[in-house]
Amino acid sequence: IWDNVSFTWKIKLPEAFSLHKPREEQGSARRRGTAGGMAVPMVQLAPDLSVSRLCFGTMTLGEQNTLPQSFRLLDAAFEAGVNFLDSAEMYPVPQRRQTQGRSEEYIGRWMRARNVPRDRIVLATKVTGPSGQMTWIRGGPKSLDANNILEAINDSYVPMFGETDYDPRRQYGSVAIEEQLDALGKAVDSGKIRYIGLSNETPYGVMKFLHISNYMQSSPRIITVQNSYNLLCRNFDCGLAECCHHESISLLAYSPMAMGILSGKYFSAGGGPSDARMNLFRGRYSEGESRYNLSNVTLKAAVEDYINIARKFGLSPASLAIAFVLIHPLVASAVFGATKVWQLREVVEARNVHLTSEMTAEINKVHARYPNPCP
């Protein structure tokens, strides 16, 4: 599972970057836009931290995607102007001992093979929180103290991956936030990491971290929260958005396509492509299957209505889904996944889609009928 801290490694960011071609290809290295003629726009997460408004999530690299396929996806993202990559130590998913760590490894191998300068990429990664499943990662992990902070960091149990109610009986023993922030502060000072953020967090968790960091000397400040946000899951707007607005915290919205469901492919004849994630890993991906329950009639009805809106206005369902996330005033970057280059390019092209007031009004009508079927 994702834990409550994500961070970017120390880097120096320029205003622009170059695309370095593989050694076997000829031509000078240069930055190129997509077919739309414009690179993915950038946003300032901090005064000296600029990231692309689309962030390529890499949890398929090393499982669904082979090394060559992963290289092609990373090439396409980089060429389009995406400088922001998201990973985690547990990736790829579904998680298993044999593949753990491959996503990060493939990113590193790609950067070396393509001669991509380290200061051209913002890499966000996450550590694994308490889990009774992934025993191959530090034995569980069970407790993460300051001695392990550079490997992993842990906080109390919070409802995530589709859970809507807080259950105190499932509370994990946790390391004090003070200890976490102190260790992270030392990591920042030593140059191991640059900024920190929270992931799958609640309003209470965000405010608790901020409250403690305000009175701790030299404590790093939270600048982002990475939570799910899409047409089928707008829970962020119920409480957490208020916290982020007043505390100047940006949302890194993951799963903007609701694990591909918003493309409508799973409700097509035959249940969609056999290599689509929910089909390929059926029965092996408990978090995804519980949250994105394809047998949920409300979910299907909502998706069908959103697809009809897209068709009415001449858009692909994917473009509508991505454009909806990007217009949120608190969203700095949408963390998207793709297993095929054409999927990645479709997401990139969605940056040019403008949602009119008429379109957003129709979207909100569907949301009112079917609020958050994938919490």
Side-chain angles (χ1 to χ4, degrees), residues 41-53:
M42 308 293 280
V43 64
Q44 293 291 132
L45 279 183
D48 60 345
L49 183 64
S50 179
V51 301
S52 50
R53 294 216 64 211

Side-chain angles (χ1 to χ4, degrees), residues 305-315 358-359 362:
D305 282 358
Y306 289 128
I307 290 175
N308 289 334
I309 293 174
R311 289 173 176 164
K312 177 180 177 180
F313 292 99
L315 300 174
E358 181 184 1
M359 296 162 72
E362 294 207 22

